[in-house]
Amino acid sequence: MHIIENGNVAAALGVMLCRVNVIAAYPITPQTPLTEKLSEYVESGEMKAEYIPVESEHSALAVCIAASSAGGRSFTATSANGLLYMHEQVQWAAGARLPIVMCVVNRAVGAPWNVWNDQQDSISQRDTGWIQIYCADHQQIIDSIIKAYWLAEKVSIPIMVCYDGYILSHTYMPFDVPDQKKVDDFLPPFNPDYALNPHEPANLNTVTLPDVRLDVRGELAHGYMEIRYLLHEEMRKSLTVAAEAEKRFVDIFGRGGDPYIEPYLCDDAEYVAVGLGSLTYQLRVCVDTLRKEGIKAGVMGIRFYRPFPDIALANALKGKKGVIVFEKALSYGYEGALVSDLKSALYEHLAGTGTLPVVQNIIAGIGGRKIRTEDLTQNLRTAIKGQVTYEPVWIGLEI
Amino acid sequence: MLSKTFMNKDFIEIRWHGRGGQGAITAAKIVAEAAFISGYSGVVMAPTFGTERRGAPVMTSLKISRHKIYDLSAIETPDIIVVFDHLLLDEADVTHGLKPGGIIILNTPKAFETYSLNGYILATADITAISVEAGLPHGIINTGIIGSLAKATNFLKFDMLIKGIEEEFRTRNPEKNSLAARIAYERTVTGG
């Protein structure tokens, strides 16, 4: 059934449809309406879950870690400084291999204080061992949450479902709310191999020595490095599992396609704009304009940022004249994090083949700076027609 | 005459100007839903971000299209502006970017003739008084003003909007709210 609602409601409905058992969250703009909605669902009995109000984001994720360790499907959501405040637990959840799903409603980080959208918050968590999915509209928000639980529980890795604060969280648009029956078909109840049980006490994730050693049962147990290697290894493999999730989703719900990237007019494009989130949909409008001017441009939205779909991207961008990477975040002191990752993927797979595109980085919308479509188009046009700059170009910078 | 303006519109941009607490978002949402049901598969409604305060001027963008909307950026050149409070005309640049020949829907106690049109089409009604007449508490005008919008444009069927109002307010005086819209529809003065 199609409804018109905002992105936070799309997320809340996704969480309800996934029959989450435990929700713990601390309100922060622009995530607040999502948690309010979930507490309403639980209060009214519409959703059978424990809603645990906590005093901080750190505790919110700590509750989810405990709930997940005990075999519960758990959910939290946050933004910006809230995410930074839970950072220690973010790392812990990944190391403990718990399939928690968290929405990150993307917002600029302080200082200075700012409640508006950019993606510095989730990008700064890139290396924590969480899978990161970026959404471009409300359909992707609700669908991604459903897919995320299936994938997280399959690979035992937590997932951040990221969507732009305000631009998606507070904007209303139509989207389809999947049938509960179909969601149940897609997503079976969470049934972990191991769950905490009061009758059989156990220590989890205690001090783990640098070297492998015999455990209490006399079996050879992994050292810290083996455990961390496996997190990396299985995260890389989760790309394949994500493809399986996508296929199942398409079979049951009749929509979806490529789990990693979302191309628009890329096949015959000479130049491709690349980005994360709602900006990639706005860029479609710019590309339409440039196409009318005879410029062969396309857009590539990246859905999965971690694990990085390097092979899919290299294949899709092979032989293009130019790639223009738009980012709402950066790795201070160098350039956008995404452009570095992308250049690394292109170098890895295309160097020496004569098919390596030129890459330009553009920074936009930091701290909610308005991104006018006309300005975006002009910057894309300039990047295509002009010289590549060594430093990133900032749209709308007045300095 | 006036109602012909939107006969073949495939893409309509409406900017709503109200004060925090006046329910501009709800009004825009009712119109968005009526548009969606009427076959506009693309509707996007974006409120002012982050600075809403009760009584302060606020703005909501509503884009209506025959196709999915990919551009979520704020409206720059509206076809229609809806002004909840005539005093906002002096407080904020509400007509900013309004297309030549664009429509201004204005809640005002003043007579239509008071206003100079500057090439725009104007539709006025005293929605504040009409809403009280319909039995609503003083200051509830977000349903009445939909009646004026319906009178000045014809891209949506009035019946559809009335249905939308009654659905949205099904637990809060649905009949009084739709009556306000009906009276406003009758009393709205338009010209340009």
Side-chain angles (χ1 to χ4, degrees):
Chain A
M1 186 189 62
H2 274 82
I3 63 165
I4 297 173
E5 261 300 346
N6 62 52
N8 279 328
V9 171
L13 288 167
V15 172
M16 181 157 68
L17 286 167
C18 289
R19 301 190 187 279
V20 167
N21 307 115
V22 176
I23 300 157
Y26 188 81
I28 181 169
T29 300
Q31 158 264 35
T32 307
L34 162 56
T35 55
E36 285 174 347
K37 208 51 160 175
L38 286 170
S39 69
E40 281 171 30
Y41 293 156
V42 174
E43 175 69 17
S44 69
E46 209 176 334
M47 184 177 181
K48 306 242 174 309
E50 282 288 328
Y51 186 97
I52 302 178
V54 286
E55 83 294 353
S56 75
E57 287 85 358
H58 188 277
S59 300
L61 192 50
V63 166
C64 289
I65 287 169
S68 190
S69 304
R73 186 173 282 160
S74 62
F75 177 81
T76 187
T78 190
S79 299
N81 290 52
L83 178 60
L84 306 185
Y85 191 36
M86 66 164 67
H87 175 75
E88 185 243 0
Q89 296 288 294
V90 170
Q91 298 265 8
W92 193 273
R97 305 294 301 268
L98 297 169
I100 298 162
V101 172
M102 162 161 66
C103 281
V104 177
V105 189
N106 289 119
R107 160 183 159 178
V109 300
W113 201 242
N114 177 298
V115 300
W116 292 275
N117 167 247
D118 68 32
Q119 296 174 340
Q120 193 68 39
D121 52 0
S122 57
I123 293 295
S124 78
Q125 305 299 304
R126 180 189 68 173
D127 301 336
T128 54
W130 284 56
I131 292 170
Q132 285 196 348
I133 298 172
Y134 285 80
C135 307
D137 66 9
H138 295 9
Q139 196 65 61
Q140 291 187 2
I141 295 173
I142 192 167
D143 292 354
S144 294
I145 290 170
I146 297 165
K147 286 181 233 177
Y149 274 108
W150 189 87
L151 176 60
E153 290 167 11
K154 208 77 177 169
V155 298
S156 298
I157 295 172
I159 301 184
M160 291 182 202
V161 175
C162 310
Y163 56 94
D164 290 309
Y166 289 118
I167 296 169
L168 292 178
S169 70
H170 284 57
T171 295
Y172 290 69
M173 66 173 76
F175 58 92
D176 174 58
V177 181
D179 291 340
Q180 182 68 63
K181 169 90 182 50
K182 285 187 179 177
V183 177
D184 291 342
D185 286 347
F186 178 80
L187 181 66
F190 178 37
N191 223 336
D193 292 339
Y194 176 81
L196 277 175
N197 177 351
H199 302 295
E200 291 173 39
N203 287 322
L204 299 180
N205 301 301
T206 51
V207 175
T208 302
L209 300 179
D211 294 322
V212 296
R213 62 181 172 131
L214 297 180
D215 67 11
V216 287
R217 289 183 294 273
E219 290 165 14
L220 196 64
H222 294 317
Y224 180 89
M225 194 156 90
E226 285 70 27
I227 290 170
R228 286 284 162 168
Y229 167 80
L230 287 172
L231 171 58
H232 173 69
E233 181 69 11
E234 285 162 28
M235 194 142 152
R236 292 295 296 166
K237 283 186 189 153
S238 72
L239 279 172
T240 316
V241 187
E244 194 191 328
E246 192 71 20
K247 194 183 168 301
R248 274 174 51 82
F249 195 89
V250 174
D251 287 347
I252 293 176
F253 299 95
R255 61 171 171 263
D258 193 314
Y260 324 124
I261 52 178
E262 199 181 10
Y264 176 69
L265 302 181
C266 283
D267 286 350
D268 70 334
E270 293 174 341
Y271 300 92
V272 176
V274 176
L276 299 164
S278 64
L279 189 60
T280 59
Y281 274 7
Q282 191 179 2
L283 279 163
R284 290 185 176 200
V285 181
C286 308
V287 159
D288 289 342
T289 305
L290 295 184
R291 286 265 169 179
K292 283 183 197 135
E293 296 168 11
I295 300 170
K296 283 189 177 173
V299 186
M300 180 71 69
I302 299 181
R303 305 288 325 285
F304 265 65
Y305 182 42
R306 278 297 179 275
F308 196 57
D310 57 314
I311 295 170
L313 279 165
N315 284 339
L317 299 173
K318 185 180 179 179
K320 303 298 180 195
K321 284 185 182 165
V323 173
I324 305 96
V325 183
F326 290 81
E327 294 187 72
K328 291 179 173 178
L330 69 161
S331 174
Y332 286 91
Y334 192 30
E335 59 186 0
L338 173 61
V339 78
S340 293
D341 287 337
L342 186 67
K343 282 192 289 194
S344 160
L346 297 177
Y347 181 88
E348 177 72 30
H349 299 289
L350 305 181
T353 63
T355 57
L356 205 54
V358 166
V359 181
Q360 171 73 51
N361 191 198
I362 296 183
I363 305 294
I366 300 297
R369 176 64 61 90
K370 192 187 276 184
I371 305 175
R372 294 173 66 244
T373 305
E374 211 183 312
D375 297 340
L376 201 55
T377 309
Q378 182 51 37
N379 274 274
L380 184 55
R381 192 186 287 118
T382 306
I384 288 170
K385 292 190 166 173
Q387 292 291 311
V388 172
T389 61
Y390 174 56
E391 293 287 342
V393 168
W394 292 59
I395 297 183
L397 189 68
E398 294 180 40
I399 209 157
Chain B
M1 264 282 280
L2 200 56
S3 60
K4 301 282 183 212
T5 316
F6 286 99
M7 282 300 281
N8 292 308
K9 274 279 186 176
D10 290 330
F11 185 60
I12 303 158
E13 295 179 288
I14 310 176
R15 201 170 59 208
W16 306 69
H17 294 268
R19 295 185 186 281
Q22 276 190 312
I25 292 176
T26 306
K29 191 165 172 257
I30 291 166
V31 174
E33 279 176 353
F36 184 69
I37 295 166
S38 306
Y40 287 96
S41 55
V43 293
V44 163
M45 202 257 290
T48 322
F49 296 151
T51 50
E52 311 87 339
R53 297 188 317 286
R54 213 155 261 272
V58 293
M59 210 168 73
T60 295
S61 284
L62 173 61
K63 297 181 187 179
I64 296 172
S65 170
R66 293 284 176 202
H67 308 286
K68 179 174 168 66
I69 295 170
Y70 288 98
D71 184 349
L72 306 182
S73 63
I75 290 174
E76 304 261 345
T77 54
D79 301 282
I80 303 167
I81 59 166
V82 184
V83 185
F84 277 51
D85 175 353
H86 67 110
L87 295 174
L88 286 170
L89 292 175
D90 301 324
E91 274 177 56
D93 189 9
V94 295
T95 57
H96 182 78
L98 183 61
K99 289 193 181 101
I103 301 175
I104 304 168
I105 315 287
L106 180 63
N107 170 29
T108 177
K110 296 185 194 169
F112 177 86
E113 295 72 27
T114 322
Y115 297 95
S116 54
L117 296 170
N118 297 328
Y120 299 128
I121 293 163
L122 180 67
T124 66
D126 188 353
I127 309 287
T128 308
I130 287 168
S131 301
V132 171
E133 192 181 323
L136 292 169
H138 183 82
I140 304 290
I141 55 144
N142 61 344
T143 43
I145 207 156
I146 292 174
S148 293
L149 177 71
K151 181 69 168 284
T153 62
N154 80 336
F155 67 100
L156 295 175
K157 289 201 175 75
F158 188 43
D159 288 354
M160 196 72 96
L161 289 164
I162 289 290
K163 235 175 94 183
I165 290 170
E166 291 180 346
E167 175 59 22
E168 180 68 30
F169 288 89
R170 60 191 177 278
T171 58
R172 290 169 291 163
N173 301 320
E175 292 83 13
K176 288 174 186 171
N177 277 292
S178 60
L179 180 61
R182 286 181 209 279
I183 301 173
Y185 186 88
E186 295 306 322
R187 303 226 187 118
T188 296
V189 183
T190 59

